[in-house]
Amino acid sequence: MKTNAVKLEWQSLAERALQGECLSLEEGLSVLEADNDEVLLLMQAAFKVRKHFYGKKVKLNMIINAKSGLCPEDCGYCSQSIVSTAPVQKYTLLDKDTLLAGAREALARKAGTYCIVAAGKGPTDKELNQVVDAVREIRQTMPLKICACLGILNDDQAKRLAEAGVHRYNHNLNTSKANYPAITTTHTYDQRVETVEKVKTHGMSPCSGVIIGMGETNQEIIEMAYALRELDSDSIPINFLNAIPGTPLEHAGRTASMKALKVLALFRFICPSKEIRVAGGREVNLRTLQPLSLFAANSLFVGDYLTTAGQEISADYQMIEDLGFEIELNAL
């Protein structure tokens, strides 16, 4: 009887999500604090929502670290920040030919979206010109969607990226507004929100997500999901902290695999129609439970991240095939 009652509870959340209703804080906590014995039932309910909007298709994205290790920001999770002593490569923005080669590699990996990421508070005029030049040629020669992640933008920069053909712009909220000062002090949570709103006004699809495992409470995880629902972020990368030696958060523990699944289910219920991407840190936090993540998420990165390694691309292909899912080619 207890199992049936639990099953009905999670299915009820799925039905309400499909009707556009938002979970209450108490319901969100019931998801994150559910007994591990209920996780399969919870994922089944999340899959009902995911399947309604995305079927069994999986979107693939590929990142190129277009500028590395020269960031003046003090983000505690990042190996490229000014406060990090992690031994990462340091280089200025990659030239056009290298960015084009990355785009060709994204196509070879069956990625629909190519993500050009440059660490920093925001792009200089020279950097923006380089990205714009590369984006224009990619758009003319390859059937790829392009996402840019270059930091805080002003109106003119956002307009130029949109005019060049950038489909999507990423600027993660990363954590809750209350927790933000404990993670970063060189810019504010509100500045991140403003950038996401700005790219929307210039016609780019907003991409904004979070990093789980940076000292936030369960209530704050729910508040992050509410904030992204309010922002109407089309794509929501859910990162799980991969604590890198040499960063202020190097001693943070990993998120338990079952907790990570509950987080993904929560975001699917609160942002039901949005692309939910299981992103950085999935390999070290979900570990052998990675396949289950795709019952809530419908997107993932293939290959390496910015300064950390992903799993073998063939393993991702095999995971998708074994689930009976299929890669959605050229998908935004």
Side-chain angles (χ1 to χ4, degrees):
M1 290 298 293
K2 182 180 179 182
T3 299
N4 289 337
V6 169
K7 183 176 180 179
L8 288 173
E9 177 188 347
W10 303 137
Q11 291 295 326
S12 174
L13 294 184
E15 291 291 346
R16 289 176 49 212
L18 289 172
Q19 293 166 13
E21 297 181 32
C22 189
L23 270 65
S24 68
L25 177 61
E26 291 73 19
E27 289 167 333
L29 288 171
S30 76
V31 171
L32 295 180
E33 296 171 1
D35 191 283
N36 287 344
D37 289 350
E38 299 172 21
V39 165
L40 287 180
L41 296 172
L42 182 61
M43 299 309 291
Q44 181 186 39
F47 180 63
K48 181 173 186 176
V49 182
R50 180 244 204 264
K51 188 177 180 182
H52 175 85
F53 290 104
Y54 295 101
K56 293 184 177 181
K57 294 185 181 297
V58 180
K59 300 174 188 285
L60 302 184
N61 302 255
M62 192 196 92
I63 292 175
I64 186 167
N65 191 8
K67 176 187 173 185
S68 180
L70 299 170
C71 185
E73 303 298 283
D74 68 353
C75 304
Y77 52 84
C78 183
S79 59
Q80 302 183 72
S81 79
I82 196 169
V83 295
S84 169
T85 60
V88 299
Q89 285 186 294
K90 296 183 179 181
Y91 52 83
T92 57
L93 193 73
L94 299 174
D95 60 29
K96 184 171 79 169
D97 287 345
T98 307
L99 293 176
L100 292 174
R104 289 190 289 271
E105 178 61 24
L107 277 178
R109 294 181 184 184
K110 304 179 183 179
T113 301
Y114 177 48
C115 307
I116 301 173
V117 183
K121 189 160 193 172
T124 65
D125 289 343
K126 180 181 178 181
E127 290 169 344
L128 194 78
N129 289 339
Q130 287 177 251
V131 172
V132 163
D133 193 24
V135 167
R136 283 179 175 150
E137 185 158 341
I138 293 168
R139 288 297 310 274
Q140 291 169 2
T141 59
M142 300 178 218
L144 270 176
K145 308 295 184 183
I146 300 171
C147 178
C149 178
L150 310 174
I152 295 168
L153 299 178
N154 61 38
D155 275 314
D156 181 66
Q157 291 170 329
K159 180 181 178 183
R160 290 190 61 204
L161 289 170
E163 289 175 346
V166 172
H167 298 85
R168 174 170 286 168
Y169 195 83
N170 168 262
H171 203 50
N172 291 332
L173 297 185
N174 287 329
T175 193
S176 69
K177 186 169 184 176
N179 195 43
Y180 207 84
I183 304 303
T184 307
T185 65
T186 46
H187 62 269
T188 67
Y189 176 93
D190 288 340
Q191 283 178 295
R192 286 188 171 264
V193 171
E194 288 163 10
T195 293
V196 177
E197 294 288 7
K198 195 168 294 177
V199 302
K200 287 162 61 176
T201 65
H202 289 280
M204 288 182 283
S205 170
C207 174
S208 188
V210 300
I211 304 173
I212 302 298
M214 299 197 296
E216 72 283 345
T217 65
N218 281 343
Q219 179 170 327
E220 286 173 326
I221 294 174
I222 298 163
E223 289 168 359
M224 294 179 217
Y226 287 163
L228 292 167
R229 180 184 173 105
E230 179 68 22
L231 269 178
D232 200 25
S233 180
D234 290 331
S235 178
I236 302 174
I238 309 294
N239 301 279
F240 298 96
L241 182 69
N242 184 352
I244 299 172
T247 63
L249 291 176
E250 66 177 321
H251 298 300
R254 61 177 286 275
T255 298
S257 303
M258 298 292 262
K259 173 67 175 290
L261 292 174
K262 295 170 194 176
V263 168
L264 291 167
L266 174 84
F267 275 81
R268 177 55 69 198
F269 291 140
I270 293 179
C271 303
S273 67
K274 302 305 185 180
E275 175 184 348
I276 305 292
R277 185 178 317 125
V278 56
R282 65 178 165 98
E283 296 86 352
V284 298
N285 288 274
L286 283 157
R287 299 198 293 211
T288 59
L289 298 189
Q290 282 188 75
L292 288 177
S293 70
L294 289 176
F295 285 95
N298 65 294
S299 175
L300 50 79
F301 284 114
V302 285
D304 296 337
Y305 302 97
L306 294 175
T307 63
T308 57
Q311 70 180 17
E312 288 293 326
I313 300 167
S314 59
D316 287 331
Y317 293 162
Q318 190 68 67
M319 177 172 67
I320 292 167
E321 180 184 333
D322 289 348
L323 286 166
F325 291 3
E326 61 180 304
I327 295 168
E328 184 175 354
L329 298 177
N330 200 30
L332 181 62

